[in-house]
Amino acid sequence: MTKDRKGPLAACVRQSLERYFNDLNGEKTTDVYDMVIAEVEKPLLEIVMRHVKSNQCKAAEILGINRNTLRKKLKTYKLV
């Protein structure tokens, strides 16, 4: 899949956010960006790390991020 195509993940995020804002029923909210990133990033890291059998170099390459950035994120989500 190319980067500019909208796939099933985008549809899930869109549907979840629509439901989230609908359920707020007019209540104010903040930090939606951080909430969404945290909800998506942790399972992403878990799945990739399992796929590469915990090889951080391979995981960083697959994710397209620096290995030190990956290590920081793994610590943030208590995955190491």
Side-chain angles (χ1 to χ4, degrees):
M1 179 182 303
T2 60
K3 290 183 181 182
D4 60 331
R5 288 187 51 201
K6 303 292 187 259
L9 182 57
C12 288
V13 171
R14 186 173 290 108
Q15 181 181 25
S16 294
L17 283 170
E18 291 288 349
R19 185 173 42 236
Y20 174 78
F21 283 107
N22 214 18
D23 290 348
L24 283 176
N25 201 24
E27 293 292 321
K28 286 191 173 195
T29 188
T30 60
D31 300 323
V32 173
Y33 179 83
D34 289 336
M35 176 191 71
V36 171
I37 296 303
E39 290 286 327
V40 173
E41 194 168 47
K42 183 176 181 181
L44 170 65
L45 295 171
E46 290 171 334
I47 299 290
V48 170
M49 290 301 290
R50 185 171 46 215
H51 176 73
V52 298
K53 298 176 177 58
S54 298
N55 184 315
Q56 292 181 8
C57 289
K58 288 181 182 178
E61 183 178 341
I62 287 172
L63 292 165
I65 62 176
N66 182 284
R67 190 170 56 95
N68 288 331
T69 301
L70 173 62
R71 291 170 65 178
K72 180 180 173 186
K73 290 177 181 295
L74 291 172
K75 285 181 184 179
T76 296
Y77 295 109
K78 297 177 175 61
L79 297 175
V80 287

